[in-house]
Amino acid sequence: MSGVLGGFAALAAVIAVGWAVGRTGILGKDAPGILSRLSFFVATPALLFLTLGRADTATVASLALIGTAGSAAVTALLYVGLARWRWRLPAAQLATGALSSSYVNAGNLGIPVAVYILGNASYVAPVLLFQVLVMAPVGLAVLAGSRTGVEAAPTWRQLLLQPLRTPVVIGCALGLLLAASGLDLPALVLEPVELIAALAVPAALLAYGMTLHGAPRPAAGALAGQVWMAVVLKNLVMPAIAYALGRWVAGLDGIALLAVTVTSALPTAQNVFVYAAAYDGGTLLARDVILLSTVLSVPVLVGIAVLLG
């Protein structure tokens, strides 16, 4: 419980600083967009390069992936199907909503939660790798294709080629190549990359906090139905699916089953807001889902830890 609360407290503190900066206006009205693009195009690729470059790539093929990847895929498809049927949303809005309901905060929150609740940070590796290698490229391809004027969903050719032009995916690919090669890069090369990577999380959180100043109440207006559907899917449906897949499909039990359920119950990642802001697709939806899912995930995570721990 202390791990959960500590992780949330750190996030809330940085977001609060962003809100205060936004209220003063000292950085100007364009600051949130600039910080978001800085995080997305420069710092996040560096962070993912370092994270995956030091990871054990064999963890992506573990049985836990059945629960984590399966629950994420099923939840995203549920959102797309329901939102398309109910509101006839365009592709960009569907992509942001699908990511908001299934893309968990596996990095800056998932790691401390895994350490304090599960006792080992490696439990978060399968979902982290699946998100950066599969979910992010597909979601970004749809967002980028929609921004360039493509109606509805982009073609398969665009889906396949777009990741090759996306900095986040390039950073992931280079990190995996480094991990597979087993090379140890010299400090002269790693230190500037580490300095840039250190910008990723605080820049995204500060930008997010700035957008909260003067913003209307979350889940208000025309987006209320979409926001609450994504929040319910993220906080309740996704961990339930992960538990079912982990227990009855993958045959997991004990700490392995707890790990799958806990990681799937993490709130929506700030990366989704950064992705939406970078391509101007569903930014308000992502902001509201992140805020509400983060607040509501605290009792959910504590409850899972108590029941399964």
Side-chain angles (χ1 to χ4, degrees):
M1 188 179 299
S2 63
V4 174
L5 298 178
F8 279 103
L11 292 178
V14 180
I15 291 172
V17 172
W19 176 85
V21 171
R23 186 180 185 195
T24 62
I26 57 176
L27 297 182
K29 64 180 181 179
D30 296 328
I34 293 172
L35 280 175
S36 294
R37 290 191 292 273
L38 174 66
S39 176
F40 176 77
F41 289 107
V42 181
T44 299
L47 176 62
L48 292 173
F49 168 74
L50 293 176
T51 301
L52 296 182
R54 297 162 178 165
D56 180 8
T57 54
T59 57
V60 75
S62 67
L63 285 176
L65 194 60
I66 296 175
T68 53
S71 62
V74 171
T75 305
L77 290 174
L78 277 174
Y79 182 90
V80 170
L82 292 172
R84 185 70 175 174
W85 168 74
R86 177 65 178 82
W87 294 288
R88 301 293 179 185
L89 300 177
Q93 198 83 357
L94 286 174
T96 299
L99 289 176
S100 297
S101 62
S102 60
Y103 200 105
V104 303
N105 193 335
N108 53 320
L109 183 58
I111 290 176
V113 168
V115 169
Y116 286 103
I117 292 182
L118 306 173
N120 192 335
S122 65
Y123 284 114
V124 82
V127 65
L128 177 63
L129 291 174
F130 175 73
Q131 289 186 161
V132 298
L133 295 177
V134 179
M135 295 183 67
V138 173
L140 291 171
V142 176
L143 285 169
S146 300
R147 190 183 184 188
T148 56
V150 177
E151 279 302 322
T155 65
W156 282 108
R157 177 183 174 84
Q158 290 167 326
L159 283 173
L160 292 173
L161 294 181
Q162 181 60 40
L164 301 179
R165 302 190 295 270
T166 305
V168 168
V169 180
I170 294 172
C172 292
L174 293 176
L176 287 175
L177 287 175
L178 177 62
S181 68
L183 295 176
D184 290 326
L185 295 180
L188 186 64
V189 175
L190 286 178
E191 287 178 357
V193 180
E194 290 171 346
L195 285 174
I196 295 173
L199 284 170
V201 174
L205 293 176
L206 288 171
Y208 178 72
M210 290 180 194
T211 65
L212 296 178
H213 171 64
R217 180 173 55 86
L223 289 177
Q226 299 171 44
V227 170
W228 282 115
M229 186 172 72
V231 170
V232 170
L233 287 172
K234 174 77 256 341
N235 288 104
L236 299 177
V237 176
M238 185 172 170
I241 294 173
Y243 175 85
L245 291 175
R247 181 173 181 179
W248 291 299
V249 177
L252 302 176
D253 58 9
I255 189 67
L257 181 59
L258 173 63
V260 165
T261 310
V262 163
T263 53
S264 296
L266 291 168
T268 305
Q270 282 77 23
N271 295 34
V272 177
F273 171 79
V274 174
Y275 298 161
Y279 293 105
D280 193 23
T283 307
L284 295 179
L285 172 65
R287 184 201 65 193
D288 289 355
V289 175
I290 290 168
L291 177 61
L292 292 173
S293 68
T294 300
V295 173
L296 296 175
S297 66
V298 177
V300 174
L301 285 168
V302 172
I304 291 172
V306 171
L307 292 174
L308 300 182

